[in-house]
Amino acid sequence: MNVPNEPSFRESVDLMFNRAVALMDLPPGLEEKIRVCNATYTVRFGVRLRGQIQTFTGYRSVHSEHKEPVKGGIRFAMGVNQDEVEALAALMTYKCALVEAPFGGSKGGLRIDPRQYEDHELERITRRFAYELAKRDLIHPSQNVPAPDMGTGEREMAWIADQYARMNTTDINAVACVTGKPLNAGGISGRVEATGRGVQYALREFFRDPRDMEKAGLTGSLDGKRVIVQGLGNVGYHAAKFLSQEDGARITGIIEWDGGLFNENGLDVDAVRAWIGKNGGVTGFPDATYSKDGSVLLEQDCDILIPAALEGVINLTNAAKVKAPLIIEAANGPITAGADDILREKGTVIIPDMYANAGGVTVSYFEWVKNLSHIRFGRMQRRQEESRHQLVVDELQRISDSMGNKYTITESFKQKYLRGADELELVRSGLDDTMRIAYQSMRDVWHERGDVPDLRMAAYLVAIDKVAASYRAKGL
Ligand code: NAD
């Protein structure tokens, strides 16, 4: 979404990049090399549907190949254009660097409204798009590995993986050509929830440091915090669900494409999701005040605002009216550069997209590693770990018995301690660690350098520094 009188999404990314490199000491040539998008491939292809040929336009943009494969989602939406995929590809480069996923940045998109097509039609379109990309190595386990994004999910990833495998019948690593696949087609536990889960871990880390809370004028923990979420799709739904069900936050507002729901006492996220599943939108949902223009809820009083739908939704027209002291950008680019300035002036703390939604690519990284190693995480060590824990419990029991049962080991401790970690637990642990470490690297730069105004600038500085180090090491 481009907002009139404001820089485009890509210009915004470049603007932020330029502001960041102004604070760094990079040779100008290297600066330019990191900033530019290496290549964007545009494909137009025809598919025979409903008795006639329909032509589709798609893109795959490769921003930086300082590490390969390059990584980034494929989006199905009518608004897809070259500018947008290039901006998103650049963000992927910085995002991967920030969370130390060893990839360059890429992004793809197909200009299509998936709701207009039957499943079997979408499959043919997706397979054809995948074919066009794969034959140019723009889908490839060691060169370019897509993932889901807006309008795509596990199903599309399974079609893409299968299409690649059909074209590369002897590639033993074919399944690693794309991530975000269903579990039974080479996926990994916890990938679907990963981006929303990452948003939760990011917020938990924010609330661990009093300095960060003070900047936003917040106190305490996530418990009881009023949260408004825009977009109850994959990312928004999981973030809202975990924050409310596990951390005690209250989801007071949910904004969808057809309007917004508000309830000061908190909305039941699963019930809203089920309602959308059945009715196509939030309209008519009981137990909430409905407004046809959902975007007014972006300006509603709350503690945390989570834009998790589209880009450019907080812009020059509404930024001054946004009341949330803390915004976490679960979507890519939801705040325009102009709005960012206004919010910073107001003292709003923004946890930037580059970091906030990195949970998806982090778990994609785990999935890719799993695919290349051809074994699920935990398979070798889980039972061995359990039997070693059993030794400890038995020994404690023996000591307790020898002391006349003066001390008892509780059943709940035994149960928790004895159980070895399965794949889902390992994935969540790896994601939590990644989100914490990446946040801490931004936080250090934010608080310790006097010239870094916000977390977004800190994120750019950390990420660009890592990309630059990679180029330097390669001797470019
Ligand atoms: P999705 O398609 O699952 O969900 C998007 C949701 O937004 C849908 O429920 C849709 O109905 C809603 N929506 C559409 N137009 C809207 C409007 N005008 N107002 C309010 N809601 C609207 O997509 P997603 O995968 O959840 O992605 C959302 C954002 O998160 C995108 O910016 C995407 O790039 C970013 N992201 C996604 C992932 C991932 O793993 N899925 C990873 C990183 C970043």
Side-chain angles (χ1 to χ4, degrees):
M1 176 165 119
N2 277 345
V3 186
N5 308 321
E6 291 204 58
S8 70
F9 184 25
R10 176 164 153 204
E11 286 161 350
S12 291
V13 172
D14 281 349
L15 208 85
M16 310 273 188
F17 177 90
N18 291 339
R19 280 184 198 165
V21 291
L23 300 177
M24 300 174 79
D25 192 20
L26 294 180
L30 181 56
E31 215 176 280
E32 180 67 0
K33 176 67 209 81
I34 297 175
R35 190 185 59 76
V36 295
C37 187
N38 287 4
T40 302
Y41 173 70
T42 307
V43 58
R44 296 182 187 86
F45 58 89
V47 181
R48 186 180 290 280
L49 299 166
R50 303 172 200 177
Q52 62 180 41
I53 293 175
Q54 287 192 32
T55 304
F56 296 90
T57 305
Y59 305 89
R60 186 80 183 156
S61 176
V62 175
H63 174 258
S64 172
E65 292 148 290
H66 68 288
K67 292 200 179 194
E68 290 195 88
V70 293
K71 191 94 191 70
I74 288 185
R75 170 178 286 203
F76 282 4
M78 284 310 285
V80 164
N81 58 62
Q82 182 168 345
D83 221 44
E84 184 185 81
V85 285
E86 289 188 356
L88 289 163
L91 267 184
M92 282 306 298
T93 296
Y94 309 135
K95 187 180 299 186
C96 291
L98 183 63
V99 296
E100 299 183 333
F103 302 125
S106 182
K107 200 78 180 191
L110 186 65
R111 201 180 296 154
I112 185 175
D113 177 0
R115 279 180 289 208
Q116 304 303 320
Y117 296 91
E118 307 272 337
D119 288 358
H120 67 96
E121 294 173 326
L122 266 180
E123 178 175 348
R124 286 180 61 198
I125 299 164
T126 306
R127 281 182 181 277
R128 182 61 202 271
F129 185 34
Y131 170 82
E132 294 293 334
L133 296 181
K135 76 176 180 192
R136 291 170 180 86
D137 291 338
L138 290 163
I139 296 176
H140 191 286
S142 58
Q143 290 193 42
N144 197 324
V145 183
D149 195 72
M150 224 157 79
T152 58
E154 288 190 327
R155 184 184 62 170
E156 287 73 17
M157 300 307 115
W159 291 333
I160 292 173
D162 185 62
Q163 185 63 36
Y164 178 88
R166 286 183 191 189
M167 295 165 68
N168 298 275
T169 49
T170 54
D171 184 347
I172 195 172
N173 292 321
V175 75
C177 75
V178 65
T179 57
K181 303 174 294 287
L183 203 47
N184 60 15
I188 192 167
S189 307
R191 174 59 183 89
V192 177
E193 66 168 44
T195 310
R197 186 60 84 184
V199 169
Q200 175 196 31
Y201 290 156
L203 284 171
R204 284 185 181 173
E205 184 57 28
F206 171 90
F207 279 98
R208 281 193 192 104
D209 193 318
R211 290 172 302 174
D212 294 11
M213 286 192 272
E214 197 190 319
K215 290 249 187 206
L218 291 166
T219 52
S221 66
L222 276 164
D223 195 22
K225 292 286 180 293
R226 297 160 306 155
V227 178
I228 295 181
V229 184
Q230 183 189 42
L232 209 65
N234 180 336
V235 180
Y237 164 68
H238 286 103
K241 178 185 163 90
F242 299 143
L243 290 170
S244 59
Q245 295 177 6
E246 298 174 11
D247 295 314
R250 234 182 320 146
I251 310 299
T252 52
I254 290 175
I255 311 168
E256 257 295 329
W257 65 274
D258 62 328
L261 302 174
F262 184 76
N263 185 336
E264 187 63 45
N265 299 319
L267 292 152
D268 178 340
V269 176
D270 281 321
V272 179
R273 173 88 159 180
W275 183 271
I276 297 173
K278 216 165 90 196
N279 303 288
V282 292
T283 312
F285 181 78
D287 311 323
T289 313
Y290 169 78
S291 21
K292 177 111 194 70
D293 177 11
S295 64
V296 294
L297 286 183
L298 294 171
E299 300 161 23
Q300 180 77 35
D301 204 11
C302 67
D303 299 308
I304 305 168
L305 181 61
I306 311 184
L310 319 163
E311 52 247 22
V313 292
I314 300 174
N315 49 56
L316 288 179
T317 65
N318 60 358
K321 293 180 263 176
V322 171
K323 295 189 189 66
L326 174 62
I327 304 177
I328 177 157
E329 294 183 315
N332 282 308
I335 300 176
T336 62
D340 198 62
D341 291 338
I342 295 173
L343 291 165
R344 190 178 327 102
E345 283 293 303
K346 284 196 340 169
T348 311
V349 173
I350 298 168
I351 303 181
D353 48 4
M354 187 198 299
Y355 163 73
N357 63 37
V361 73
T362 301
V363 177
S364 273
Y365 167 40
F366 302 156
E367 179 177 334
W368 181 73
V369 171
K370 174 187 177 179
N371 292 155
L372 294 180
S373 54
H374 300 269
I375 189 164
R376 112 177 102 72
F377 288 109
R379 182 162 175 182
M380 300 297 279
Q381 61 273 51
R382 183 175 176 189
R383 304 302 166 191
Q384 198 260 358
E385 195 184 310
E386 284 179 358
S387 52
R388 289 175 70 86
H389 286 186
Q390 185 70 54
L391 277 178
V392 174
V393 168
D394 290 347
E395 190 61 10
L396 284 173
Q397 191 65 57
R398 193 190 59 75
I399 295 168
S400 165
D401 290 348
S402 72
M403 296 172 84
N405 271 325
K406 216 160 125 197
Y407 304 103
T408 51
I409 309 165
T410 62
E411 262 321 299
S412 88
F413 168 80
K414 260 199 234 170
Q415 267 181 17
K416 282 188 202 145
Y417 188 66
L418 283 178
R419 209 166 49 86
D422 62 12
E423 184 172 83
L424 182 60
E425 281 168 274
L426 291 170
V427 163
R428 285 179 179 163
S429 153
L431 176 60
D432 192 8
D433 186 57
T434 305
M435 295 306 288
R436 287 190 205 206
I437 287 180
Y439 191 105
Q440 287 157 13
S441 67
M442 295 189 301
R443 177 189 279 145
D444 289 349
V445 169
W446 186 29
H447 294 306
E448 280 160 28
R449 279 182 63 143
D451 54 355
V452 177
D454 55 22
L455 279 168
R456 190 188 310 280
M457 192 55 58
Y460 270 92
L461 285 171
V462 174
I464 295 169
D465 199 43
K466 288 192 170 152
V467 178
S470 235
Y471 273 122
R472 281 204 191 97
K474 286 203 316 190
L476 183 93

